[in-house]
Amino acid sequence: MTRNRELAVVTGASSGIGFELARQLAHRGFDLIVNSADEKRLLLAAEDIGRQTGASVQPVQADLRSYEEAERFVGAVAATGRPVAVATLNAGVGEGGAFLDIDLEDEFEIIDLNVRSTVHVAKRLLRSMAAAGGGRMLITSSIASTMPGSFQAVYNASKSFLQSFSQALQNELKDTDLTVTALMPGPTDTDFFRRADMGDTKVGQGEKDDPAQVAEQGLDALFAGKDKVVAGSPATMPDPTQFGEQSPLGRPAQPAEMAPAYVFLASGQASYITGEIVNATGGTPLP
């Protein structure tokens, strides 16, 4: 690896958002350590990024669902002897279907990759980054983190964990030289829906964002020190004109129902409420 470039680590880098995060970090002047469980696709991705950018790209195949494999991965990072300036924890998986129908082992795979491996790698890397004097971490959450997900219950819950985890770390590290940013994509044109067996669902068949755009918005937010970014285009965000039909109440709000909230927030009774977002959406959460 070239010593005049800083080092970035990207998990889930063989395709989709992870590939774009890695490619764009290389274009921004970083050498890379990239990870995926799929060795063949990882090697092709690493070769492609290196050819496009001239960066040094070290692929480390590891299935981060396994404790031993995650340890091997962070060991490979440490073995370079170089401080990690940027870490983007993007590895994740989903599974569509009714909770009663999905095999328990498949649900555990979601938890092991989305939750456990993220905590594992974040713990190891943030400690080393702190010892080296600082750095930046991007954790791929989702707009799915803001709402319960019927027919992908465990996936949405895993993303809610990551969102809460990211925000907690942000607060813990606010007086340090470490930053944590949560990337919250909407539906994105990746292999996710095929792998999750969700290609025939409404969201699977709907409009999706370009992963290059999502990655760029995530990295811009990371380097700006923002706590989170809802990435993507307005076309894939929830349609506010449909909240009435889609909300648990099944109808649009009436002006008389909204006005008391404004009055309360402007009153002395709300004197201890500041910097908050109040979602008056009939039970439909917003990112």
Side-chain angles (χ1 to χ4, degrees), residues 21 24 28 138 181-186 209-224 226 228-234 236-237:
L21 287 169
Q24 293 183 33
R28 294 185 189 217
L138 183 71
T181 300
L183 172 58
M184 302 169 67
D209 287 316
D210 182 349
Q213 178 191 32
V214 171
E216 181 179 13
Q217 292 172 344
L219 292 177
D220 286 347
L222 175 72
F223 290 113
K226 294 182 178 179
K228 65 181 180 181
V229 57
V230 179
S233 66
T236 61
M237 295 297 107

Side-chain angles (χ1 to χ4, degrees), residues 2-269:
T2 52
R3 294 285 174 174
N4 60 335
R5 296 167 68 105
E6 290 187 303
L7 180 63
V9 173
V10 184
T11 67
S14 62
S15 64
I17 295 171
F19 173 82
E20 284 297 332
L21 287 169
R23 185 182 67 82
Q24 293 183 33
L25 281 166
H27 275 299
R28 294 185 189 217
F30 290 86
D31 280 337
L32 301 175
I33 296 178
V34 293
N35 158 263
S36 172
D38 188 330
E39 184 173 25
K40 181 178 180 180
R41 296 184 73 177
L42 179 65
L43 293 175
L44 290 173
E47 181 181 0
D48 187 15
I49 293 169
R51 184 174 58 250
Q52 286 185 40
T53 66
S56 177
V57 185
Q58 177 182 340
V60 179
Q61 186 279 333
D63 185 346
L64 299 181
R65 293 172 296 185
S66 160
Y67 179 91
E68 291 76 18
E69 289 282 280
E71 284 289 284
R72 183 171 64 81
F73 171 65
V74 295
V77 175
T80 66
R82 300 177 64 185
V84 175
V86 171
T88 63
L89 307 188
N90 176 74
V93 68
E95 178 80 13
F99 181 74
L100 298 183
D101 295 337
I102 297 174
D103 289 343
L104 184 59
E105 288 184 1
D106 292 337
E107 304 284 31
F108 283 154
E109 285 191 0
I110 296 171
I111 296 168
D112 286 342
L113 187 58
N114 296 10
V115 176
R116 195 171 81 165
S117 82
T118 302
V119 173
H120 189 156
V121 177
K123 176 78 75 174
R124 298 292 193 231
L125 293 185
L126 282 173
R127 281 180 171 174
S128 67
M129 292 161 78
R136 302 179 187 274
M137 179 169 286
L138 183 71
I139 295 176
T140 302
S141 172
S142 171
I143 62 166
S145 69
T146 67
M147 63 194 79
S150 299
F151 300 100
Q152 50 180 8
V154 174
Y155 172 77
N156 277 43
S158 75
K159 292 299 184 177
S160 295
F161 175 93
L162 293 181
Q163 191 65 31
S164 176
F165 178 60
S166 299
Q167 292 179 219
L169 292 181
Q170 292 156 12
N171 187 58
E172 287 188 29
L173 300 171
K174 63 185 178 183
D175 296 323
T176 74
D177 291 321
L178 295 168
T179 67
V180 177
T181 300
L183 172 58
M184 302 169 67
T188 306
D189 189 12
T190 69
D191 287 340
F192 173 84
F193 295 100
R194 178 185 61 80
R195 292 175 176 174
D197 196 23
M198 294 176 61
D200 60 349
T201 63
K202 182 177 180 181
V203 65
Q205 295 177 345
E207 190 166 357
K208 300 178 182 65
D209 287 316
D210 182 349
Q213 178 191 32
V214 171
E216 181 179 13
Q217 292 172 344
L219 292 177
D220 286 347
L222 175 72
F223 290 113
K226 294 182 178 179
D227 59 351
K228 65 181 180 181
V229 57
V230 179
S233 66
T236 61
M237 295 297 107
D239 183 356
T241 66
Q242 301 299 314
F243 281 147
E245 297 176 8
Q246 297 174 356
S247 75
L249 294 182
R251 61 173 179 81
Q254 300 300 311
E257 295 175 303
M258 305 298 287
Y262 287 93
V263 173
F264 168 72
L265 292 171
S267 73
Q269 292 177 304

